[in-house]
Amino acid sequence: MKRHLLSAADLSRDDAELVLSTAAELRSLADRPIKKLPALRGRTVVNLFFEDSTRTRISFEAAAKRLSADVINFSAKGSSLSKGESLKDTALTLEAMGADAVVVRHGASGAPHRLAHSGWVRSSVVNAGDGTHEHPTQALLDAFTMTRHLGSLDGRRVAIVGDVLHSRVARSNALLLATLGAEVTLVAPPTLLPVGVDSWPVETSYDLDAVIPKADVVMMLRVQRERMNGGFFPTPREYSRRYGLDGRRMATLQDHTIVMHPGPMVRGMEISADVADSDRSVIVEQVTNGVAVRMAVLYLLLGGAQPVGGDE
Amino acid sequence: MCAQPAPEATPGRVVLDARDIARALTRISHEILERNKGAGDLVLLGIPSRGVPLAERIAERITSVEGYDVPTGSLDVTMYRDDLRLKPARALLHTEIPESGIDGRTVVLVDDVLFSGRTIRAALDALNDIGRPRAVRLAVLVDRGHRELPIRADFVGKNLPTSLVERVRVTLAGVDEVDAVTIHGEGDTSEPTGEAS
């Protein structure tokens, strides 16, 4: 593995499979009376969150603590970040405190890359979501959840549906799933597909009903209205009718097909409540798997000898 | 532990062949039963990778003598090793604790080669996080000496005096091609692996 995890594209197939198999071993820890391993004793992991997050921050915190690392949480609200401190000065502070890994979420695409390659910090940088760019650990936990239900992903069909334009989850998933041999189809209205999507290793479609009967996995994305400043679709109701997953559409799925959602869900918009709570939905399991996958990432980045000085 | 098949420069000297290994395992099985006064409350935990098939073979022999199944599992100690920070992060091996757990039971740890004792120290720490056995015993196929910690085996297949430059390699049918214990001497130029720790 490289020293940082900034993009799902950083992972070769071997790397990705190593993370998934490590996560599979670490998942059994959740069933033990003592949910703790000593691998990262004495290491410090900083959660640097410039954007709000529940799942991801808690998940990284639980993962680091279960590996016995010391965790420092640093969020925009209630720190000098809200007084206008720059990313660079924040990074220099973290470096002075001796962080071994920085888990960063930032509203600007590319902020983790800047942090990793500017020379401000010597620690490993893990991208926990940057703008509309990437969210590699989410893609890893999604792939992990899929392999637990479907086995190998080679040749499996995955439909990623909804607001692809604003979704870092969709981009990371598309890259990682292609690496793992799955066939990804993005389904969205033309206004919500990003420019340059034709260079991604995916197919695209505007017609949800044509795609999902063949899919092994249907992943619904949240419509990110906070990132929208224009009219991407006429009305929420029309969006929901054409691109929402409801009970009627769910009935057209194959028996083994699972339904995923990276959360937070907007029930009634992209996914109806009966689908979200159905047997096919693995949405709660995704959260559980998130801790195991993030443990695997932190262990593989920090558990062994630290490369001295060098980059990647 | 960690007996990675190294690229062979020399075939090595065979110390135990398949029949020697079978006899040693049979004796160890009987010694475990004798010492434990039967197979009640026994749990066998192999240390991956070669310890696991050894634990399974011992369990088979105990079952054939006592007539009931002994819970058998595997215990990966990678995260508990004291040299974790000295090498790049290593892949984890499989841990499987029998459903009945280890609390109040006699756990027999099974490994292929006992060398520095550091693997066993790590295994004792790992056990500590899983439960509280009534007693912990250690069974190894080969004890090659050169202990670096105050640890000894309760059941030994063969004591094998070695020099530090030699490497002891255990192969087991199922994982490898044949059952054998071989010594690779000084003339062997291949990279020393961490096989006999």
Side-chain angles (χ1 to χ4, degrees):
Chain A
M1 289 239 316
K2 294 185 175 180
R3 208 170 122 232
H4 308 291
L5 179 59
L6 303 175
S7 160
D10 290 346
L11 298 167
S12 66
R13 185 163 184 154
D14 285 348
D15 288 340
E17 282 172 354
L18 178 62
V19 173
L20 299 184
S21 65
T22 305
E25 285 304 321
L26 290 169
R27 198 180 188 279
S28 66
L29 191 72
D31 308 326
R32 296 217 203 134
I34 299 177
K35 299 177 183 47
K36 198 121 179 144
L37 289 164
L40 298 187
R41 215 151 44 93
R43 301 257 202 234
T44 304
V45 175
V46 174
N47 284 326
L48 182 61
F49 277 65
F50 292 86
E51 262 189 356
D52 293 338
S53 159
T54 321
R55 248 167 294 270
T56 307
R57 191 182 60 73
I58 292 176
S59 181
F60 267 110
E61 183 170 351
K65 285 183 169 167
R66 285 187 182 175
L67 290 171
S68 306
D70 296 313
V71 181
I72 298 173
N73 284 314
F74 213 66
S75 59
K77 285 180 192 119
S79 73
S80 296
L81 299 172
S82 56
K83 300 176 192 164
E85 189 175 66
S86 69
L87 179 61
K88 177 176 181 177
D89 291 322
T90 307
L92 294 174
T93 308
L94 298 178
E95 177 63 17
M97 285 194 291
D100 295 295
V102 179
V103 176
V104 61
R105 166 165 291 191
H106 200 285
S109 303
H113 187 272
R114 184 93 178 104
L115 197 59
H117 295 289
S118 59
W120 299 332
V121 292
R122 279 172 296 172
S123 47
S124 293
V125 175
V126 181
N127 182 359
D130 59 333
T132 58
H133 180 225
E134 286 234 33
H135 193 354
T137 58
Q138 177 73 39
L140 284 165
L141 80 87
D142 289 338
F144 180 68
T145 307
M146 289 176 208
T147 55
R148 286 182 66 86
H149 285 270
L150 303 169
S152 166
L153 298 185
D154 256 320
R156 292 289 189 177
R157 292 197 171 103
V158 180
I160 300 178
V161 186
D163 185 358
V164 177
L165 178 64
H166 298 105
S167 176
R168 48 200 177 206
V169 176
R171 185 189 304 262
S172 289
N173 259 301
L175 295 170
L176 180 68
L177 291 171
T179 304
L180 291 171
E183 294 168 21
V184 179
T185 306
L186 303 176
V187 186
T191 50
L192 288 176
L193 283 173
V195 176
V197 74
D198 41 320
S199 68
W200 295 20
V202 298
E203 293 183 18
T204 56
S205 170
Y206 305 139
D207 185 358
L208 183 57
D209 288 310
V211 172
I212 58 172
K214 285 178 283 183
D216 299 297
V217 177
V218 178
M219 184 185 298
M220 305 306 296
L221 302 172
R222 183 173 64 94
V223 177
Q224 303 197 31
R225 307 193 77 165
E226 75 276 13
R227 296 189 207 273
M228 290 184 183
N229 51 9
F232 288 91
F233 44 81
T235 64
R237 190 156 162 227
E238 182 170 339
Y239 175 86
S240 183
R241 210 170 60 230
R242 292 202 54 188
Y243 294 101
L245 188 62
D246 55 16
R248 179 186 62 77
R249 284 207 169 98
M250 189 170 71
T252 68
L253 298 179
Q254 299 178 67
D255 288 341
H256 66 269
T257 303
I258 56 172
V259 173
M260 307 179 74
H261 193 300
M265 283 185 279
V266 184
R267 288 175 183 239
M269 182 75 176
E270 70 271 5
I271 190 166
S272 69
D274 54 335
V275 175
D277 299 329
S278 73
D279 293 342
R280 290 179 184 280
S281 155
V282 295
I283 295 166
V284 177
E285 192 188 323
Q286 283 175 270
V287 179
T288 313
N289 292 344
V291 178
V293 166
R294 286 171 180 126
M295 284 175 76
V297 168
L298 290 174
Y299 166 68
L300 293 170
L301 290 179
L302 297 182
Q306 293 285 79
V308 184
D311 212 336
E312 269 133 275
Chain B
M1 169 64 222
C2 283
Q4 310 293 344
E8 293 301 280
T10 53
R13 180 162 56 90
V14 177
V15 198
L16 297 180
D17 63 17
R19 293 174 64 186
D20 297 329
I21 291 175
R23 277 192 289 267
L25 291 178
T26 304
R27 178 172 53 74
I28 288 174
S29 308
H30 283 285
E31 282 175 5
I32 291 172
L33 286 176
E34 200 176 22
R35 173 83 173 268
N36 198 54
K37 297 189 170 58
D41 293 339
L42 266 186
V43 177
L44 299 178
L45 290 181
I47 298 175
S49 48
R50 300 297 188 284
V52 180
L54 288 176
E56 282 161 5
R57 291 187 196 187
I58 292 173
E60 275 169 29
R61 286 165 166 79
I62 290 178
T63 302
S64 70
V65 174
E66 295 288 300
Y68 57 88
D69 288 337
V70 182
T72 308
S74 63
L75 181 69
D76 176 41
V77 303
T78 307
M79 287 205 163
Y80 295 86
R81 302 191 78 95
D82 56 6
D83 59 354
L84 198 59
R85 298 283 169 82
L86 303 180
K87 299 178 191 172
R90 273 164 280 188
L92 301 183
L93 301 165
H94 190 54
T95 293
E96 186 158 335
I97 304 300
E99 272 189 28
S100 47
I102 62 168
D103 285 332
R105 289 167 174 268
T106 298
V107 172
V108 180
L109 293 171
V110 184
D111 203 358
D112 53 357
V113 180
L114 180 60
F115 184 19
S116 66
R118 289 176 190 268
T119 300
I120 305 305
R121 190 220 41 93
L124 292 173
D125 279 357
L127 273 186
N128 206 25
D129 281 355
I130 291 167
R132 185 181 184 279
R134 189 173 61 76
V136 181
R137 313 265 182 241
L138 174 60
V140 296
L141 183 59
V142 173
D143 180 351
R144 64 166 294 191
H146 304 290
R147 212 77 74 242
E148 292 164 11
L149 293 169
I151 280 170
R152 57 157 181 76
D154 301 273
F155 313 105
V156 180
K158 183 167 178 64
N159 282 298
L160 204 57
T162 56
S163 88
L164 276 169
V165 293
E166 289 172 321
R167 299 181 307 116
V168 176
R169 188 174 161 210
V170 175
T171 59
L172 295 170
V175 187
D176 314 283
E177 280 170 22
V178 288
D179 280 0
V181 177
T182 49
I183 291 191
H184 300 261
E186 271 173 278
D188 193 341
T189 51
S190 61
E191 280 282 292
T193 60
E195 62 196 42
S197 43

